[in-house]
Amino acid sequence: MVAARLGWMSETPFLAPDGQTRCAWAGGAPEFLEYHDSEWGFPAGGDVRLFEKICLEGFQSGLSWRTILNKRPAFREVFAGFEFDRVAGFDEGDVERLLLDARIIRHRGKIEATINNARRAVELVEEQGSLAAYVWGFEPEPLAVPEVVATSAASVALSKDLKKRGWKFVGPTTMYAFMQSMGVINDHSLDCVIRDVVEAERAAFVRP
């Protein structure tokens, strides 16, 4: 579930300083409110942004999103802005360089997975035209009421297909969090003031 991955288990709506309610997890850390209000759930169609989020969700595995969010500027710096055609050219020397950089998560498997996934992203774009077209092809029918779940049929299907293509750290739970955050589904709670904002953005969003 979202709250678990964000390190915040309460489902009681968060009353923000502006007097309006948000998803419960938005009150879990000072950094979360801005992220919740301006990024989480808003539809994304840029390949680099989508690739970045897949990578960061992979780095989050076993950790809190707060940790990743605070380290995101450093991740962007050391991974060439997550421009996957550039990351695809990283070699073992880059792996060793990244393992020495205390500003990011120094996990060899996750670092190597990011480089591997960049190469797979290049292949996927050659086949599908864009990463966005591929990802949005897994968009499910919207639910009237958000479900508090860790995976979905769509995230399982996306995970399975990515793994077949050689991607790593793309399990169903990771892909569900990715789909939530990138607006492929709208999982803002019904009493969250941002839910309708996101829904309007999704309605206007031109699918790639």
Side-chain angles (χ1 to χ4, degrees), residues 97-151:
R97 167 179 62 85
L98 293 166
L99 284 171
L100 294 174
D101 197 323
R103 298 175 300 160
I104 65 168
I105 306 301
R106 294 180 288 179
H107 184 292
R108 179 180 290 274
K110 294 176 181 180
I111 291 170
E112 291 178 342
T114 299
I115 298 169
N116 168 78
N117 291 350
R119 295 167 181 165
R120 305 292 78 77
V122 170
E123 295 169 353
L124 192 150
V125 169
E126 289 175 353
E127 176 188 326
Q128 300 283 330
S130 71
L131 181 58
Y134 170 78
V135 167
W136 280 91
F138 289 86
E139 180 185 12
E141 289 296 319
L143 298 174
V145 179
E147 294 182 323
V148 182
V149 296
T151 65

